[in-house]
Amino acid sequence: SSGINAEWPLRRDLKKHQYKNTLTEDLWAALEESSQQPVNKVMSTWTGQMGYPMLTVDLHESADTLTLHFKQQKFCANGDNSSNAEWLVPITVISQSNGQPQT
């Protein structure tokens, strides 16, 4: 499974760094080790810049094929979308074929 069970990595990280200062990257490394997922690479795009993304998904259908096109832009309440900021956003798509979920 690619999900993260954060309890054990957090306990290990807290014990390893008890009575010391630690960095955000230490937590990401513990979660990355546990999950075998690129946690640091993904999270650095979220913690290293201000704001958050707004995702737009367009669905294109032709014959027996569905194609999803994802676009992101920095969310701004005032509508100013001039930022070039980008975030790594993990996305899982699940469809159903013959009554069975497909990832």
Side-chain angles (χ1 to χ4, degrees), residues 31-98:
L31 292 172
E32 195 165 285
E33 180 182 340
S34 172
S35 69
Q36 299 300 303
Q37 298 294 316
V39 176
N40 188 45
K41 183 177 181 179
V42 171
M43 292 308 297
S44 65
T45 66
W46 289 84
T47 60
Q49 60 188 347
M50 292 178 54
Y52 52 92
M54 178 174 67
L55 299 177
T56 305
V57 181
D58 290 319
L59 174 67
H60 299 279
E61 191 172 356
S62 63
D64 62 345
T65 303
L66 292 175
T67 305
L68 300 174
H69 292 271
F70 296 89
K71 178 181 170 187
Q72 72 170 253
Q73 60 191 41
K74 183 177 181 179
F75 173 80
C76 292
N78 68 3
D80 176 17
N81 298 321
S82 60
S83 173
N84 290 328
E86 290 188 355
W87 291 261
L88 291 179
V89 181
I91 296 174
T92 301
V93 176
I94 299 174
S95 66
Q96 191 163 342
S97 176
N98 299 326

Side-chain angles (χ1 to χ4, degrees), residues 1-12 30-31 34-35:
S1 170
S2 63
I4 297 175
N5 179 350
E7 183 179 352
W8 288 110
L10 288 175
R11 283 185 184 180
R12 267 197 318 254
L31 292 172
S34 172
S35 69

